Amino acid sequence: MTVSHLQPRSVHAGTSSDATPTTIVSDPAGPVAVSPQALLDIRNLSVDIRTPGGALRVVKDVSLTVARGEAVGLVGESGSGKSMTAFSVMNLFPSPLAQVAAGDMHLEGQHLNRLSADHMRAVRGSRMGMVFQDPTSYLDPLMPVGRQIAETLHAHAFGDDHHARVLELLELMELPLAAQVARKFPHELSGGMRQRILIACALAMRPALLIADEPTTALDVTVQAGILQLLGRLRKELDLGLLLITHDLAVVAETCQRVYVMYAGEIVEHQHALDLFETPRHPYTQGLLRSILHPRSRAHDLFSIPGGVPIAGHWPTGCRFHPRCPIAQAGRCDTTVPALMPVRAAHGAGADRC
């Protein structure tokens, strides 16, 4: 099915004449489809958090892929479930009460769900690494940063000359005077330098997959641009698969080839980055794009999506976005979960749950 006759804002549960609302998803035969040999392949992932009142499902039926050498964005507001998805892949949940409830995750064909704790610890760091949002929370303030990078090498028994590898990594991070930087403590470095140290730790073992969780949120604009350029260069030079988690669509535009949009624990749209910015299909994606400040906008022209992401366990019935949706229809969008419908766009395939 083509989408040439559809307008971006018309693809919605309340606009179809069918009895069941439709959802646009990636067409497996379309250009956006990723090879079955995808580096990271997540299928129908669901995550629960155990509470005294029962399990809260914070991530529901999430599927996404990342190919080697490809940058894929996972975007959405805070509370959408982006970081929980990343923690699932790494098996690094912030709470022991969180657990993968359903779904499959494969890295280079290996079933991550079935690995023992020891085997997962070996895979984590050697074949996939993660860069966290706030480096000050993950760097030891009492240890020189060079030793912290070397800890990863020691844990995975990387050769004998750890010092040489640390200096090589610091130079790869475009940090001048690498030997001096290696002796410094985190508080002696700028925010951008600390983030580069985290990236060096994540790439110490030359993993195939790098997950970056809001790596530029706490940085000013010029430093943010440098980090994004660094990630782009490393992706190409090291043939990395990059999963970039962010709430900032401007960051996605600069970095990613494909984009997944996440809302209330679900993927609501999946497109090539160019298609996403040219023809956003889900009302939530359209709202996110309208919220980006245009250089010529005046204060009274600023747009924001009304309301906020619902609290996990208190999801609305029907389409989870309908309480905030400008085109929702009472009696339909609030009662019926949209069905899936494949569609092919101009440059790739789109996804829309509404």
PDB file of all heavy atoms in Angstrom, residues 29-59:
ATOM      1  N   ALA A  29       9.072  -5.411   3.162  1.00  0.00           N
ATOM      2  CA  ALA A  29       9.616  -5.424   1.811  1.00  0.00           C
ATOM      3  C   ALA A  29      10.125  -4.061   1.378  1.00  0.00           C
ATOM      4  O   ALA A  29      10.695  -3.920   0.315  1.00  0.00           O
ATOM      5  CB  ALA A  29       8.529  -5.884   0.826  1.00  0.00           C
ATOM      6  N   GLY A  30       9.921  -3.050   2.188  1.00  0.00           N
ATOM      7  CA  GLY A  30      10.286  -1.695   1.819  1.00  0.00           C
ATOM      8  C   GLY A  30      11.741  -1.384   2.084  1.00  0.00           C
ATOM      9  O   GLY A  30      12.469  -2.148   2.709  1.00  0.00           O
ATOM     10  N   PRO A  31      12.201  -0.214   1.614  1.00  0.00           N
ATOM     11  CA  PRO A  31      13.608   0.148   1.750  1.00  0.00           C
ATOM     12  C   PRO A  31      14.060   0.287   3.189  1.00  0.00           C
ATOM     13  O   PRO A  31      15.239   0.211   3.468  1.00  0.00           O
ATOM     14  CB  PRO A  31      13.682   1.497   1.020  1.00  0.00           C
ATOM     15  CG  PRO A  31      12.480   1.528   0.125  1.00  0.00           C
ATOM     16  CD  PRO A  31      11.432   0.742   0.841  1.00  0.00           C
ATOM     17  N   VAL A  32      13.127   0.519   4.123  1.00  0.00           N
ATOM     18  CA  VAL A  32      13.540   0.716   5.508  1.00  0.00           C
ATOM     19  C   VAL A  32      13.856  -0.587   6.215  1.00  0.00           C
ATOM     20  O   VAL A  32      14.428  -0.598   7.280  1.00  0.00           O
ATOM     21  CB  VAL A  32      12.445   1.475   6.291  1.00  0.00           C
ATOM     22  CG1 VAL A  32      11.348   0.534   6.719  1.00  0.00           C
ATOM     23  CG2 VAL A  32      13.017   2.201   7.501  1.00  0.00           C
ATOM     24  N   ALA A  33      13.482  -1.717   5.616  1.00  0.00           N
ATOM     25  CA  ALA A  33      13.703  -3.002   6.262  1.00  0.00           C
ATOM     26  C   ALA A  33      15.194  -3.253   6.461  1.00  0.00           C
ATOM     27  O   ALA A  33      16.013  -2.941   5.614  1.00  0.00           O
ATOM     28  CB  ALA A  33      13.100  -4.126   5.418  1.00  0.00           C
ATOM     29  N   VAL A  34      15.549  -3.831   7.605  1.00  0.00           N
ATOM     30  CA  VAL A  34      16.930  -4.124   7.937  1.00  0.00           C
ATOM     31  C   VAL A  34      17.190  -5.602   7.700  1.00  0.00           C
ATOM     32  O   VAL A  34      16.314  -6.439   7.869  1.00  0.00           O
ATOM     33  CB  VAL A  34      17.219  -3.751   9.403  1.00  0.00           C
ATOM     34  CG1 VAL A  34      18.630  -4.143   9.796  1.00  0.00           C
ATOM     35  CG2 VAL A  34      17.011  -2.262   9.611  1.00  0.00           C
ATOM     36  N   SER A  35      18.403  -5.917   7.305  1.00  0.00           N
ATOM     37  CA  SER A  35      18.786  -7.301   7.037  1.00  0.00           C
ATOM     38  C   SER A  35      18.499  -8.197   8.234  1.00  0.00           C
ATOM     39  O   SER A  35      18.612  -7.772   9.382  1.00  0.00           O
ATOM     40  CB  SER A  35      20.279  -7.359   6.713  1.00  0.00           C
ATOM     41  OG  SER A  35      20.751  -8.679   6.771  1.00  0.00           O
ATOM     42  N   PRO A  36      18.103  -9.444   7.960  1.00  0.00           N
ATOM     43  CA  PRO A  36      17.920 -10.389   9.067  1.00  0.00           C
ATOM     44  C   PRO A  36      19.191 -10.544   9.898  1.00  0.00           C
ATOM     45  O   PRO A  36      19.144 -11.005  11.027  1.00  0.00           O
ATOM     46  CB  PRO A  36      17.557 -11.696   8.353  1.00  0.00           C
ATOM     47  CG  PRO A  36      17.000 -11.276   7.034  1.00  0.00           C
ATOM     48  CD  PRO A  36      17.756 -10.040   6.654  1.00  0.00           C
ATOM     49  N   GLN A  37      20.337 -10.159   9.326  1.00  0.00           N
ATOM     50  CA  GLN A  37      21.600 -10.240  10.040  1.00  0.00           C
ATOM     51  C   GLN A  37      21.889  -8.958  10.811  1.00  0.00           C
ATOM     52  O   GLN A  37      23.038  -8.578  10.993  1.00  0.00           O
ATOM     53  CB  GLN A  37      22.744 -10.521   9.047  1.00  0.00           C
ATOM     54  CG  GLN A  37      22.549 -11.776   8.212  1.00  0.00           C
ATOM     55  CD  GLN A  37      22.364 -13.021   9.067  1.00  0.00           C
ATOM     56  OE1 GLN A  37      23.065 -13.194  10.047  1.00  0.00           O
ATOM     57  NE2 GLN A  37      21.432 -13.874   8.691  1.00  0.00           N
ATOM     58  N   ALA A  38      20.847  -8.277  11.266  1.00  0.00           N
ATOM     59  CA  ALA A  38      21.020  -7.040  12.024  1.00  0.00           C
ATOM     60  C   ALA A  38      21.909  -7.290  13.232  1.00  0.00           C
ATOM     61  O   ALA A  38      21.867  -8.349  13.858  1.00  0.00           O
ATOM     62  CB  ALA A  38      19.666  -6.502  12.470  1.00  0.00           C
ATOM     63  N   LEU A  39      22.717  -6.298  13.546  1.00  0.00           N
ATOM     64  CA  LEU A  39      23.601  -6.398  14.710  1.00  0.00           C
ATOM     65  C   LEU A  39      22.789  -6.582  15.987  1.00  0.00           C
ATOM     66  O   LEU A  39      23.018  -7.506  16.767  1.00  0.00           O
ATOM     67  CB  LEU A  39      24.457  -5.130  14.785  1.00  0.00           C
ATOM     68  CG  LEU A  39      25.350  -4.971  16.004  1.00  0.00           C
ATOM     69  CD1 LEU A  39      26.408  -6.061  16.037  1.00  0.00           C
ATOM     70  CD2 LEU A  39      25.997  -3.586  16.017  1.00  0.00           C
ATOM     71  N   LEU A  40      21.824  -5.692  16.210  1.00  0.00           N
ATOM     72  CA  LEU A  40      20.916  -5.788  17.356  1.00  0.00           C
ATOM     73  C   LEU A  40      19.507  -5.971  16.831  1.00  0.00           C
ATOM     74  O   LEU A  40      19.052  -5.208  15.974  1.00  0.00           O
ATOM     75  CB  LEU A  40      20.983  -4.518  18.212  1.00  0.00           C
ATOM     76  CG  LEU A  40      19.995  -4.449  19.391  1.00  0.00           C
ATOM     77  CD1 LEU A  40      20.327  -5.505  20.438  1.00  0.00           C
ATOM     78  CD2 LEU A  40      19.992  -3.056  20.019  1.00  0.00           C
ATOM     79  N   ASP A  41      18.831  -6.969  17.341  1.00  0.00           N
ATOM     80  CA  ASP A  41      17.471  -7.269  16.897  1.00  0.00           C
ATOM     81  C   ASP A  41      16.605  -7.497  18.138  1.00  0.00           C
ATOM     82  O   ASP A  41      16.769  -8.491  18.850  1.00  0.00           O
ATOM     83  CB  ASP A  41      17.462  -8.513  16.008  1.00  0.00           C
ATOM     84  CG  ASP A  41      16.132  -8.713  15.295  1.00  0.00           C
ATOM     85  OD1 ASP A  41      15.144  -8.064  15.684  1.00  0.00           O
ATOM     86  OD2 ASP A  41      16.088  -9.513  14.344  1.00  0.00           O
ATOM     87  N   ILE A  42      15.699  -6.562  18.403  1.00  0.00           N
ATOM     88  CA  ILE A  42      14.783  -6.658  19.541  1.00  0.00           C
ATOM     89  C   ILE A  42      13.386  -6.923  18.996  1.00  0.00           C
ATOM     90  O   ILE A  42      12.912  -6.206  18.111  1.00  0.00           O
ATOM     91  CB  ILE A  42      14.776  -5.346  20.363  1.00  0.00           C
ATOM     92  CG1 ILE A  42      16.176  -5.035  20.876  1.00  0.00           C
ATOM     93  CG2 ILE A  42      13.791  -5.432  21.524  1.00  0.00           C
ATOM     94  CD1 ILE A  42      16.275  -3.693  21.582  1.00  0.00           C
ATOM     95  N   ARG A  43      12.728  -7.935  19.525  1.00  0.00           N
ATOM     96  CA  ARG A  43      11.399  -8.308  19.049  1.00  0.00           C
ATOM     97  C   ARG A  43      10.430  -8.403  20.222  1.00  0.00           C
ATOM     98  O   ARG A  43      10.625  -9.196  21.143  1.00  0.00           O
ATOM     99  CB  ARG A  43      11.445  -9.650  18.306  1.00  0.00           C
ATOM    100  CG  ARG A  43      12.308  -9.630  17.053  1.00  0.00           C
ATOM    101  CD  ARG A  43      11.739  -8.733  15.988  1.00  0.00           C
ATOM    102  NE  ARG A  43      12.648  -8.574  14.856  1.00  0.00           N
ATOM    103  CZ  ARG A  43      12.446  -7.729  13.842  1.00  0.00           C
ATOM    104  NH1 ARG A  43      11.356  -6.986  13.857  1.00  0.00           N
ATOM    105  NH2 ARG A  43      13.312  -7.643  12.868  1.00  0.00           N
ATOM    106  N   ASN A  44       9.398  -7.585  20.194  1.00  0.00           N
ATOM    107  CA  ASN A  44       8.271  -7.653  21.141  1.00  0.00           C
ATOM    108  C   ASN A  44       8.736  -7.634  22.603  1.00  0.00           C
ATOM    109  O   ASN A  44       8.247  -8.401  23.433  1.00  0.00           O
ATOM    110  CB  ASN A  44       7.428  -8.896  20.868  1.00  0.00           C
ATOM    111  CG  ASN A  44       6.933  -8.959  19.442  1.00  0.00           C
ATOM    112  OD1 ASN A  44       7.281  -9.873  18.694  1.00  0.00           O
ATOM    113  ND2 ASN A  44       6.135  -7.993  19.036  1.00  0.00           N
ATOM    114  N   LEU A  45       9.652  -6.732  22.894  1.00  0.00           N
ATOM    115  CA  LEU A  45      10.177  -6.609  24.250  1.00  0.00           C
ATOM    116  C   LEU A  45       9.158  -5.962  25.181  1.00  0.00           C
ATOM    117  O   LEU A  45       8.597  -4.915  24.872  1.00  0.00           O
ATOM    118  CB  LEU A  45      11.452  -5.765  24.239  1.00  0.00           C
ATOM    119  CG  LEU A  45      12.024  -5.383  25.610  1.00  0.00           C
ATOM    120  CD1 LEU A  45      12.574  -6.615  26.323  1.00  0.00           C
ATOM    121  CD2 LEU A  45      13.099  -4.309  25.461  1.00  0.00           C
ATOM    122  N   SER A  46       8.924  -6.593  26.311  1.00  0.00           N
ATOM    123  CA  SER A  46       8.091  -6.021  27.370  1.00  0.00           C
ATOM    124  C   SER A  46       8.867  -6.081  28.678  1.00  0.00           C
ATOM    125  O   SER A  46       9.547  -7.069  28.959  1.00  0.00           O
ATOM    126  CB  SER A  46       6.770  -6.780  27.512  1.00  0.00           C
ATOM    127  OG  SER A  46       5.954  -6.599  26.368  1.00  0.00           O
ATOM    128  N   VAL A  47       8.746  -5.013  29.460  1.00  0.00           N
ATOM    129  CA  VAL A  47       9.465  -4.915  30.734  1.00  0.00           C
ATOM    130  C   VAL A  47       8.475  -4.588  31.836  1.00  0.00           C
ATOM    131  O   VAL A  47       7.634  -3.684  31.686  1.00  0.00           O
ATOM    132  CB  VAL A  47      10.559  -3.824  30.670  1.00  0.00           C
ATOM    133  CG1 VAL A  47      11.266  -3.694  32.010  1.00  0.00           C
ATOM    134  CG2 VAL A  47      11.557  -4.130  29.560  1.00  0.00           C
ATOM    135  N   ASP A  48       8.583  -5.316  32.943  1.00  0.00           N
ATOM    136  CA  ASP A  48       7.725  -5.099  34.106  1.00  0.00           C
ATOM    137  C   ASP A  48       8.558  -4.622  35.291  1.00  0.00           C
ATOM    138  O   ASP A  48       9.743  -4.956  35.415  1.00  0.00           O
ATOM    139  CB  ASP A  48       7.009  -6.387  34.507  1.00  0.00           C
ATOM    140  CG  ASP A  48       5.907  -6.784  33.540  1.00  0.00           C
ATOM    141  OD1 ASP A  48       5.559  -5.958  32.671  1.00  0.00           O
ATOM    142  OD2 ASP A  48       5.411  -7.917  33.647  1.00  0.00           O
ATOM    143  N   ILE A  49       7.921  -3.860  36.159  1.00  0.00           N
ATOM    144  CA  ILE A  49       8.485  -3.518  37.460  1.00  0.00           C
ATOM    145  C   ILE A  49       7.561  -4.087  38.521  1.00  0.00           C
ATOM    146  O   ILE A  49       6.362  -3.792  38.537  1.00  0.00           O
ATOM    147  CB  ILE A  49       8.632  -1.989  37.630  1.00  0.00           C
ATOM    148  CG1 ILE A  49       9.641  -1.443  36.618  1.00  0.00           C
ATOM    149  CG2 ILE A  49       9.078  -1.655  39.060  1.00  0.00           C
ATOM    150  CD1 ILE A  49       9.852   0.052  36.712  1.00  0.00           C
ATOM    151  N   ARG A  50       8.125  -4.911  39.394  1.00  0.00           N
ATOM    152  CA  ARG A  50       7.322  -5.535  40.445  1.00  0.00           C
ATOM    153  C   ARG A  50       7.000  -4.531  41.540  1.00  0.00           C
ATOM    154  O   ARG A  50       7.874  -3.795  42.003  1.00  0.00           O
ATOM    155  CB  ARG A  50       8.069  -6.741  41.041  1.00  0.00           C
ATOM    156  CG  ARG A  50       8.381  -7.833  40.035  1.00  0.00           C
ATOM    157  CD  ARG A  50       8.906  -9.086  40.720  1.00  0.00           C
ATOM    158  NE  ARG A  50      10.095  -8.816  41.522  1.00  0.00           N
ATOM    159  CZ  ARG A  50      11.331  -8.776  41.050  1.00  0.00           C
ATOM    160  NH1 ARG A  50      11.546  -8.986  39.755  1.00  0.00           N
ATOM    161  NH2 ARG A  50      12.357  -8.551  41.852  1.00  0.00           N
ATOM    162  N   THR A  51       5.742  -4.504  41.949  1.00  0.00           N
ATOM    163  CA  THR A  51       5.298  -3.640  43.034  1.00  0.00           C
ATOM    164  C   THR A  51       4.415  -4.467  43.966  1.00  0.00           C
ATOM    165  O   THR A  51       3.939  -5.549  43.589  1.00  0.00           O
ATOM    166  CB  THR A  51       4.494  -2.440  42.500  1.00  0.00           C
ATOM    167  OG1 THR A  51       3.214  -2.902  42.026  1.00  0.00           O
ATOM    168  CG2 THR A  51       5.233  -1.729  41.379  1.00  0.00           C
ATOM    169  N   PRO A  52       4.154  -3.976  45.186  1.00  0.00           N
ATOM    170  CA  PRO A  52       3.256  -4.714  46.086  1.00  0.00           C
ATOM    171  C   PRO A  52       1.880  -4.955  45.488  1.00  0.00           C
ATOM    172  O   PRO A  52       1.204  -5.933  45.820  1.00  0.00           O
ATOM    173  CB  PRO A  52       3.180  -3.806  47.319  1.00  0.00           C
ATOM    174  CG  PRO A  52       4.460  -3.038  47.288  1.00  0.00           C
ATOM    175  CD  PRO A  52       4.758  -2.815  45.842  1.00  0.00           C
ATOM    176  N   GLY A  53       1.465  -4.046  44.584  1.00  0.00           N
ATOM    177  CA  GLY A  53       0.157  -4.194  43.972  1.00  0.00           C
ATOM    178  C   GLY A  53       0.153  -5.020  42.698  1.00  0.00           C
ATOM    179  O   GLY A  53      -0.882  -5.179  42.061  1.00  0.00           O
ATOM    180  N   GLY A  54       1.326  -5.534  42.307  1.00  0.00           N
ATOM    181  CA  GLY A  54       1.407  -6.305  41.071  1.00  0.00           C
ATOM    182  C   GLY A  54       2.445  -5.717  40.134  1.00  0.00           C
ATOM    183  O   GLY A  54       3.098  -4.712  40.442  1.00  0.00           O
ATOM    184  N   ALA A  55       2.593  -6.335  38.985  1.00  0.00           N
ATOM    185  CA  ALA A  55       3.602  -5.898  38.019  1.00  0.00           C
ATOM    186  C   ALA A  55       3.097  -4.706  37.208  1.00  0.00           C
ATOM    187  O   ALA A  55       1.956  -4.700  36.738  1.00  0.00           O
ATOM    188  CB  ALA A  55       3.958  -7.043  37.081  1.00  0.00           C
ATOM    189  N   LEU A  56       3.961  -3.698  37.051  1.00  0.00           N
ATOM    190  CA  LEU A  56       3.669  -2.553  36.187  1.00  0.00           C
ATOM    191  C   LEU A  56       4.430  -2.737  34.878  1.00  0.00           C
ATOM    192  O   LEU A  56       5.658  -2.887  34.890  1.00  0.00           O
ATOM    193  CB  LEU A  56       4.111  -1.241  36.850  1.00  0.00           C
ATOM    194  CG  LEU A  56       3.362  -0.784  38.091  1.00  0.00           C
ATOM    195  CD1 LEU A  56       3.935   0.534  38.585  1.00  0.00           C
ATOM    196  CD2 LEU A  56       1.880  -0.640  37.797  1.00  0.00           C
ATOM    197  N   ARG A  57       3.724  -2.737  33.774  1.00  0.00           N
ATOM    198  CA  ARG A  57       4.381  -2.890  32.471  1.00  0.00           C
ATOM    199  C   ARG A  57       4.812  -1.514  31.980  1.00  0.00           C
ATOM    200  O   ARG A  57       3.988  -0.676  31.607  1.00  0.00           O
ATOM    201  CB  ARG A  57       3.438  -3.568  31.481  1.00  0.00           C
ATOM    202  CG  ARG A  57       4.062  -3.784  30.113  1.00  0.00           C
ATOM    203  CD  ARG A  57       3.681  -5.118  29.521  1.00  0.00           C
ATOM    204  NE  ARG A  57       4.155  -6.231  30.345  1.00  0.00           N
ATOM    205  CZ  ARG A  57       3.937  -7.512  30.036  1.00  0.00           C
ATOM    206  NH1 ARG A  57       3.275  -7.831  28.936  1.00  0.00           N
ATOM    207  NH2 ARG A  57       4.382  -8.463  30.815  1.00  0.00           N
ATOM    208  N   VAL A  58       6.110  -1.265  31.978  1.00  0.00           N
ATOM    209  CA  VAL A  58       6.631   0.051  31.599  1.00  0.00           C
ATOM    210  C   VAL A  58       7.090   0.095  30.146  1.00  0.00           C
ATOM    211  O   VAL A  58       7.244   1.171  29.567  1.00  0.00           O
ATOM    212  CB  VAL A  58       7.782   0.461  32.532  1.00  0.00           C
ATOM    213  CG1 VAL A  58       7.274   0.680  33.944  1.00  0.00           C
ATOM    214  CG2 VAL A  58       8.898  -0.578  32.527  1.00  0.00           C
ATOM    215  N   VAL A  59       7.344  -1.071  29.558  1.00  0.00           N
ATOM    216  CA  VAL A  59       7.676  -1.177  28.130  1.00  0.00           C
ATOM    217  C   VAL A  59       6.827  -2.292  27.559  1.00  0.00           C
ATOM    218  O   VAL A  59       6.741  -3.376  28.141  1.00  0.00           O
ATOM    219  CB  VAL A  59       9.170  -1.475  27.909  1.00  0.00           C
ATOM    220  CG1 VAL A  59       9.450  -1.785  26.440  1.00  0.00           C
ATOM    221  CG2 VAL A  59      10.036  -0.312  28.376  1.00  0.00           C
TER     222      VAL A  59
END
